[in-house]
Amino acid sequence: ESQEQEDTSSIITALVSKLPTRQGWSQSYVLYNSYWINPLFVHGILHLHTTFKPRHDDIILASNPKCGTTWMKALAFTIINRSRYELGNNDHPLLSRHPQELVPFMETPTCHTNGDGLNYLEVLPSPRLLTTHMPLSLFPPQLSSSIAANGRVVYMCREPKDAFVSRWHFASKFRRCSGEHSTNDLESALDMFIQGFSPYGPFWDHCLEYWRQSISSPDKILFLKYEDIMSEPVKHIVRLATFLGVPFSVKEEEDGVPKEVVRLCSFESLSGMCVNQLGEFVRLQDKVIDKSDFFRKGVVGDWVNHMSEEMGRKIDRVMEEKLKGSGLVL
Ligand code: A3P
């Protein structure tokens, strides 16, 4: 079997090497199925297409990068596991592990076969909580069928100007590591973004795929917005728990459990924990991502502190044009 895996891997490598490539955001990206994706992740996605075995109770957390993935991971984990790990206990896993570690990404290289020939995703206990930045159209077909039958997908979206500014800061960190200068200033990053060239971009197509599916199958896909959760956290956490099949009981609501979930998973709470402040999360190629990089500011509307109004309007215009008629407003 491992020979077979090696063969598949070299076929994928050959395929990825032929894709159009573009440099930006301090990295190089390839265009696959109309999306700009880190080649390592395209490799991961294609690997999933041949190996992924869906389970009927899988829960998929999906998002565009920098739209609140870390937050969603913490919330979903806490909600799903609240009878096993009571809130307020000092052995709650969120106190000792980074949300990014508690809930794995599907398409990252660490999820591929490890030394024992075991696929990491295969050995996770059910129900699996899995995260992805894949657009819906790149889901392995076997996963799409499983979702059509039983699936639960939660999609987290965010106001594009804030997501853009968040991504720019994240990429700036890489730029410092690689000693790259002057390129990728905010203006040229903005140009790339509105051309649709951003990690897992075009941003709007990513949102629209999930949006449309959430309209046609609301029981399968829950579409959440970062700003909505910020403004009415309890309401949306209750909605999320119900969607995930573990609704809060009347007693839990009376006891303020939803509020406790919100508090534990808030930016202030998570960013203040040692486990999220110190150490490296992962090294990808020559880039180091620190655990603290997933917590910057965590507010709505921070774009005004980094972009001029005119720059903001550039994003608004393109979003308006692309989302026109969809019913989606971001
Ligand atoms: P900012 O850069 O605007 O602060 P992702 O997790 O998808 O990579 O998104 C990162 C963004 O979510 C960052 O936004 C980060 O600060 C913010 N974030 C992280 N944890 C959060 C939390 N618990 N609540 C709200 N926002 C959070």
Side-chain angles (χ1 to χ4, degrees), residues 89-103:
N89 280 7
N90 45 21
D91 63 346
H92 195 283
L94 273 180
L95 303 177
S96 55
R97 296 185 67 192
H98 196 288
Q100 294 287 353
E101 291 173 347
L102 277 180
V103 185

Side-chain angles (χ1 to χ4, degrees), residues 63-71 100 133 158 162 165-166 226 230 265-267 270 294-299 302:
S63 63
N64 244 327
K66 311 328 288 175
C67 289
T69 321
T70 315
W71 192 15
Q100 294 287 353
H133 288 319
R158 189 179 189 187
D162 281 345
V165 164
S166 183
Y226 185 98
M230 258 318 166
C265 299
S266 69
F267 181 86
L270 294 180
F294 294 95
F295 305 94
R296 188 184 64 92
K297 217 160 167 186
V299 298
D302 185 49

Side-chain angles (χ1 to χ4, degrees), residues 121-140:
L121 300 176
E122 292 283 309
V123 296
L124 291 174
S126 293
R128 292 185 297 188
L129 199 50
L130 305 169
T131 314
T132 187
H133 288 319
M134 272 185 272
L136 261 186
S137 54
L138 279 179
F139 273 29

Side-chain angles (χ1 to χ4, degrees), residues 49-330:
H49 277 238
T50 57
T51 59
F52 187 71
K53 295 194 185 73
R55 297 183 199 159
H56 72 94
D57 51 1
D58 281 340
I59 294 167
I60 313 288
L61 307 178
S63 63
N64 244 327
K66 311 328 288 175
C67 289
T69 321
T70 315
W71 192 15
M72 181 170 56
K73 286 184 179 200
L75 288 169
F77 179 90
T78 306
I79 290 170
I80 300 278
N81 293 295
R82 68 187 188 276
S83 53
R84 198 160 140 222
Y85 304 119
E86 268 183 55
L87 284 105
N89 280 7
N90 45 21
D91 63 346
H92 195 283
L94 273 180
L95 303 177
S96 55
R97 296 185 67 192
H98 196 288
Q100 294 287 353
E101 291 173 347
L102 277 180
V103 185
F105 269 107
M106 297 171 72
E107 68 266 35
T108 52
T110 47
C111 292
H112 298 181
T113 313
N114 61 25
D116 322 327
L118 282 174
N119 189 320
Y120 175 62
L121 300 176
E122 292 283 309
V123 296
L124 291 174
S126 293
R128 292 185 297 188
L129 199 50
L130 305 169
T131 314
T132 187
H133 288 319
M134 272 185 272
L136 261 186
S137 54
L138 279 179
F139 273 29
Q142 63 276 31
L143 176 58
S144 306
S145 322
S146 171
I147 289 164
N150 353 269
R152 297 200 191 98
V153 178
V154 181
Y155 185 71
M156 180 79 133
C157 202
R158 189 179 189 187
E159 202 286 320
K161 298 189 287 302
D162 281 345
F164 163 75
V165 164
S166 183
R167 166 53 73 171
W168 185 76
H169 280 98
F170 200 69
S172 305
K173 147 104 208 219
F174 293 164
R175 192 162 68 240
R176 280 199 302 280
C177 293
S178 59
E180 205 182 294
H181 295 295
S182 71
T183 53
N184 281 1
D185 53 284
L186 197 65
E187 293 269 359
S188 45
L190 179 66
D191 287 340
M192 297 192 290
F193 188 86
I194 61 178
Q195 286 162 16
F197 175 54
S198 60
Y200 285 91
F203 187 90
W204 45 88
D205 285 338
H206 201 281
C207 307
L208 276 174
E209 284 193 15
Y210 284 93
W211 172 251
R212 295 206 170 104
Q213 199 66 32
S214 76
I215 299 288
S216 58
S217 319
D219 53 329
K220 306 281 173 1
I221 300 198
L222 178 69
F223 194 98
L224 295 174
K225 292 182 191 168
Y226 185 98
E227 297 73 28
D228 290 348
I229 307 182
M230 258 318 166
S231 65
E232 289 180 289
V234 169
K235 175 179 154 188
H236 291 283
I237 267 51
V238 167
R239 228 179 119 211
L240 177 59
T242 304
F243 178 81
L244 293 176
V246 284
F248 290 106
S249 65
V250 175
K251 170 91 170 58
E252 280 183 308
E253 295 217 26
E254 281 169 5
D255 290 349
V257 178
K259 235 187 236 161
E260 270 300 291
V261 174
V262 169
R263 198 202 50 77
L264 175 65
C265 299
S266 69
F267 181 86
E268 291 66 31
S269 153
L270 294 180
S271 64
M273 294 174 189
C274 285
V275 60
N276 296 328
Q277 289 174 336
L278 303 171
E280 289 179 6
F281 168 61
V282 73
R283 277 170 190 257
L284 282 178
Q285 288 132 329
D286 56 341
K287 314 276 190 317
V288 179
I289 302 180
D290 287 325
K291 291 184 175 179
S292 61
D293 293 340
F294 294 95
F295 305 94
R296 188 184 64 92
K297 217 160 167 186
V299 298
V300 171
D302 185 49
W303 70 270
V304 295
N305 299 314
H306 303 279
M307 290 159 74
S308 67
E309 272 186 39
E310 180 44 34
M311 289 169 84
R313 272 196 295 273
K314 279 191 179 176
I315 293 189
D316 289 345
R317 273 197 296 269
V318 74
M319 290 305 293
E320 220 176 273
E321 179 199 320
K322 302 291 182 185
L323 301 187
K324 199 160 65 195
S326 68
L328 175 60
V329 180
L330 291 175

